Amino acid sequence: MKIAILGTRGIPNHYSGFEQFAEFFSVFLVEKGHDVYVYNSHNHLYQEKTFNGVNIIHQYDPEYKLGTFGQFIYDFNCIIDSRKRDFDIILQLGYTSNSIWHFLLPKNAIIITNMDGLEWKRTKYSKPVQQFLKFAEKLAVKSSDFLISDSLGIQTYINSKYNVSSTYIAYGAKIFKTPNEEILKEYNVQKHNYNMIMARFEPENNIETILDGIVLAGNETTTLVLGNHKTKYGDYLKNKFKSFNSIRFIGAEFDINKLNNLRYFSNFYFHGHSVGGTNPSLLEAMASNAFIIAHDNHFNKAILKENGYYFSNPSDVKNILDTIKKNDNLQLVQNNFDAIENEFNWDKINGEYLQLFEECNSKPKAGI
């Protein structure tokens, strides 16, 4: 099959979950003998025309000039280019800035869309933007031939909201088996003697809630906060917690080996995400033997089940810090690790995507 992947900033990953998936899945498809193309932003750090056998198509992306609006132009450019490539399948990762161009998608290609999370719930968006995202979601549902949900919660939502079916395929993670304590020196921490938060600096990721709980507990264990803090919300958090020396804002880190080691040697790993499907960083934490304290919502509980502790407010965080010890919960850590090996490993996930592609490609193109 000739397959295109749209909707990311490109590969190799220098940004986030969809980019990581696009990297792993595209290389997997090439290894299985398929002709694969991934669209990259023109200013992506990787400027070669191929990556491990995957064809890279760079398209102009003015996001660096125009902000979010630039994403719409980038997606437009990618879709226009796809019209001349004669793809069998186009996989769209997300819908927020591409579904408005659905009428431009090539008619002969099978359109498969991963519906991502409930983007319109993100508090960073104004009410008008949230309404637009609901509209974009509806367009994506109606214009795709097949839908993928990466969490059971998203699958249930799509079915109840639009009365259409979607295929549940979770996200994946790679098992981490090579810890290297030397990496901790770069961050001036010692194994099992620091806590960790990793998330985009957005309100719905509950970084502030976690840090409020840490302060409320009077906990002086070093807390590493990873993520791009050079934002308006990042400035707010840094200013709010500037007098607490144990809270250290590290910045974004995309070196997976460093991240895995930080997670592996951490005491508590706080996962505050509250909007979306199967969050990649949660699975990666599970794969790194982290002891996970997660925000109490059905997305996180669908993955962790009873193998983590949950919080909803700063008092919950305080109580966990005051009463829970990692050494008493090592079985939970092992259970999560086993879940990655048995349920959320990349070979299984990639295989399920490929199986869906093969089934879709063998059916008449009829839409939903």
Side-chain angles (χ1 to χ4, degrees):
M1 292 179 287
K2 187 175 182 180
I3 300 167
I5 299 178
L6 282 71
T8 79
R9 288 167 171 81
I11 64 170
N13 176 35
H14 290 284
Y15 187 70
S16 190
F18 269 155
E19 284 75 12
Q20 188 69 81
F21 166 69
E23 178 181 333
F24 289 157
F25 183 50
S26 61
V27 172
F28 171 85
L29 288 172
V30 168
E31 291 172 349
K32 296 298 182 181
H34 299 284
D35 188 16
V36 185
Y37 298 74
V38 174
Y39 282 86
N40 276 32
S41 169
H42 80 280
N43 55 12
H44 192 281
L45 291 176
Y46 189 81
Q47 288 292 309
E48 303 299 320
K49 294 187 181 299
T50 61
F51 173 79
N52 292 345
V54 179
N55 300 289
I56 304 298
I57 304 174
H58 289 91
Q59 290 293 309
Y60 178 64
D61 176 7
E63 183 181 5
Y64 71 105
K65 286 183 177 180
L66 304 177
T68 300
F69 181 72
Q71 296 176 17
F72 291 87
I73 299 175
Y74 170 58
D75 284 330
F76 172 84
N77 292 336
C78 294
I79 288 172
I80 291 297
D81 182 86
S82 74
R83 293 167 63 90
K84 61 185 180 183
R85 302 280 180 174
D86 196 27
F87 292 122
D88 296 308
I89 291 177
I90 292 178
L91 173 63
Q92 296 187 118
L93 298 176
Y95 60 84
T96 55
S97 54
N98 56 17
S99 64
I100 64 167
W101 308 118
H102 68 90
F103 59 93
L104 295 172
L105 286 163
K107 303 302 181 185
N108 292 328
I110 296 168
I111 308 301
I112 303 175
T113 303
N114 182 312
M115 292 300 292
D116 199 7
L118 305 179
E119 293 299 302
W120 51 267
K121 276 193 170 185
R122 296 191 184 279
T123 55
K124 69 176 182 178
Y125 296 126
S126 65
K127 290 296 183 182
V129 172
Q130 289 176 336
Q131 288 300 118
F132 167 77
L133 291 174
K134 286 184 178 182
F135 174 67
E137 177 186 86
K138 182 177 180 179
L139 287 179
V141 170
K142 290 188 175 297
S143 63
S144 301
D145 297 300
F146 300 94
L147 301 176
I148 295 173
S149 299
D150 68 7
S151 84
L152 294 173
I154 297 297
Q155 185 185 49
T156 299
Y157 165 77
I158 290 173
N159 181 257
S160 62
K161 176 72 173 179
Y162 299 105
N163 193 32
V164 298
S165 61
S166 63
T167 300
Y168 166 62
I169 306 178
Y171 202 79
K174 285 190 174 181
I175 292 294
F176 176 61
K177 295 183 177 179
T178 56
N180 178 9
E181 194 175 340
E182 290 295 306
I183 287 176
L184 301 184
K185 293 180 180 179
E186 180 179 338
Y187 300 90
N188 193 28
V189 291
Q190 297 179 333
K191 65 177 182 179
H192 313 314
N193 197 32
Y194 63 94
N195 300 322
M196 181 176 170
I197 308 168
M198 189 177 78
R200 292 186 196 173
F201 277 62
E202 298 172 357
E204 63 267 15
N205 288 339
N206 288 288
I207 298 173
E208 184 175 16
T209 300
I210 299 166
L211 295 179
D212 280 340
I214 290 171
V215 171
L216 190 62
N219 188 283
E220 295 185 358
T221 302
T222 296
T223 299
L224 302 181
V225 186
L226 282 82
N228 177 20
H229 52 69
K230 296 179 180 179
T231 64
K232 183 177 180 180
Y233 187 61
D235 290 340
Y236 161 74
L237 291 179
K238 286 183 290 184
N239 183 64
K240 178 175 180 176
F241 297 103
K242 63 183 178 182
S243 61
F244 299 94
N245 295 329
S246 63
I247 297 174
R248 292 165 46 191
F249 294 89
I250 302 300
E253 176 59 71
F254 294 104
D255 186 319
I256 192 68
N257 185 52
K258 290 181 180 179
L259 291 175
N260 284 338
N261 275 284
L262 285 173
R263 289 184 279 236
Y264 181 89
F265 289 111
S266 65
N267 181 36
F268 288 170
Y269 178 92
F270 289 98
H271 180 79
H273 297 66
S274 63
V275 176
T278 304
N279 188 269
S281 63
L282 176 58
L283 296 179
E284 289 168 357
M286 294 164 66
S288 301
N289 280 287
F291 177 45
I292 300 169
I293 315 299
H295 183 264
D296 190 350
N297 63 73
H298 66 283
F299 295 115
N300 293 336
K301 283 188 169 181
I303 303 301
L304 284 174
K305 300 181 175 64
E306 71 280 1
N307 297 308
Y309 286 84
Y310 297 95
F311 70 91
S312 297
N313 53 56
S315 294
D316 291 342
V317 175
K318 175 187 184 300
N319 291 337
I320 290 169
L321 289 169
D322 287 345
T323 61
I324 304 300
K325 295 182 179 179
K326 180 177 181 177
N327 284 341
D328 296 334
N329 292 277
L330 296 182
Q331 187 59 52
L332 305 188
V333 174
Q334 184 61 49
N335 291 346
N336 285 328
F337 186 84
D338 291 344
I340 298 298
E341 283 198 310
N342 298 325
E343 187 176 355
F344 299 109
N345 67 81
W346 274 120
D347 285 341
K348 179 176 180 291
I349 301 303
N350 287 336
E352 290 176 354
Y353 265 87
L354 179 54
Q355 181 180 352
L356 175 65
F357 281 20
E358 290 170 343
E359 291 173 357
C360 295
N361 197 43
S362 67
K363 297 176 181 177
K365 188 178 187 302
I368 296 177

